[in-house]
């Protein structure tokens, strides 16, 4: 297998990660709009957004798994495949935390006198930031380990 084919796979992973970031941005904007519709939440619109984002993330995840398998099987790069597996684990964690954060934000809005929900939102946001840092560190490891491909 050629280095240029491997290089294309590397760039594909970065493109898919950028799509994930854009998906989260859309998800956040949609959730902000949903919260602004309080107290008569526009749940139908929000549910449609969640459906679309879920479909996009599922597609991205399937493509990332295909890349992971190709790195391992076609190019004999289990190291790169392992980085991708770790990214997938952190992305799953980030998605769960994002849902928790959205619920905490809504609860904080619905119960303004209850500090518990604001505290929960701050805690979950902190955990999301730590997860994003972990993803970025894994991407750095991936970049470092794949740079030899670019050099060849």
């Amino acid at each position: 297998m050629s280095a240029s084919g491997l290089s294309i796979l590397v760039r594909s992973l970065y493109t898919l990660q950028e799509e994930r970031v854009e998906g989260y941005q859309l998800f956040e904007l949609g959730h902000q709009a949903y919260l602004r519709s309080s107290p008569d939440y526009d749940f139908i619109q929000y549910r449609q957004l969640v459906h679309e984002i879920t479909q996009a993330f599922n597609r991205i995840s399937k493509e990332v798994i295909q890349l992971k398998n190709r790195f391992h099987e076609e190019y004999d790069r289990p190291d790169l495949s392992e980085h991708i597996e770790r990214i997938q684990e952190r992305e799953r964690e980030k998605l769960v935390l994002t849902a928790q954060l959205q619920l905490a934000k809504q609860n904080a809005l619905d119960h303004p006198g209850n500090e518990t929900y604001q505290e929960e939102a701050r805690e979950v946001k902190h955990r999301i930031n730590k997860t994003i840092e972990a993803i970025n560190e894994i991407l750095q490891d991936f970049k470092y380990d794949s740079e030899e491909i670019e050099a060849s």
Side-chain angles (χ1 to χ4, degrees):
M1 296 294 159
S2 70
S4 66
L6 200 50
S7 180
I8 290 168
L9 290 184
V10 168
R11 284 194 300 279
S12 296
L13 177 68
Y14 292 135
T15 299
L16 290 167
Q17 281 301 113
E18 287 170 17
E19 287 181 35
R20 275 183 170 146
V21 169
E22 291 168 7
Y24 276 109
Q25 290 168 343
L26 288 172
F27 202 18
E28 176 60 23
L29 289 172
H31 188 252
Q32 288 172 8
Y34 173 69
L35 291 179
R36 282 193 301 274
S37 71
S38 170
D40 303 315
Y41 293 108
D42 185 355
F43 185 71
I44 305 282
Q45 179 94 17
Y46 181 66
R47 186 177 59 196
Q48 181 61 32
L49 172 71
V50 170
H51 175 72
E52 291 169 11
I53 294 292
T54 301
Q55 284 185 317
F57 283 161
N58 282 339
R59 177 193 54 80
I60 291 167
S61 188
K62 285 177 183 167
E63 289 182 36
V64 168
I65 290 167
Q66 288 174 344
L67 290 177
K68 176 186 83 111
N69 293 337
R70 290 185 68 193
F71 277 118
H72 190 72
E73 295 162 11
E74 290 178 33
Y75 292 94
D76 194 28
R77 291 297 305 264
D79 57 333
L80 298 180
S81 183
E82 176 62 28
H83 292 316
I84 293 172
E85 181 60 35
R86 290 174 51 221
I87 289 168
Q88 287 292 95
E89 289 169 9
R90 296 287 81 75
E91 288 290 352
R92 282 190 289 275
E93 182 181 313
K94 182 181 172 188
L95 190 56
V96 168
L97 289 170
T98 298
Q100 289 175 0
L101 178 61
Q102 290 183 352
L103 186 58
K105 284 179 175 180
Q106 182 176 345
N107 284 334
L109 186 64
D110 291 345
H111 307 95
N114 188 337
E115 182 62 31
T116 306
Y117 296 116
Q118 276 101 3
E119 181 57 38
E120 181 184 359
R122 283 190 293 272
E123 171 60 30
V124 175
K125 180 69 175 154
H126 176 73
R127 290 174 60 200
I128 288 172
N129 288 336
K130 288 293 186 191
T131 303
I132 291 170
E133 287 176 21
I135 291 168
N136 288 336
E137 288 174 16
I138 298 166
L139 283 168
Q140 277 300 114
D141 292 344
F142 179 88
K143 182 179 185 291
Y144 177 78
D145 288 343
S146 67
E147 278 179 344
E148 68 191 49
I149 298 164
E150 305 294 326
S152 56

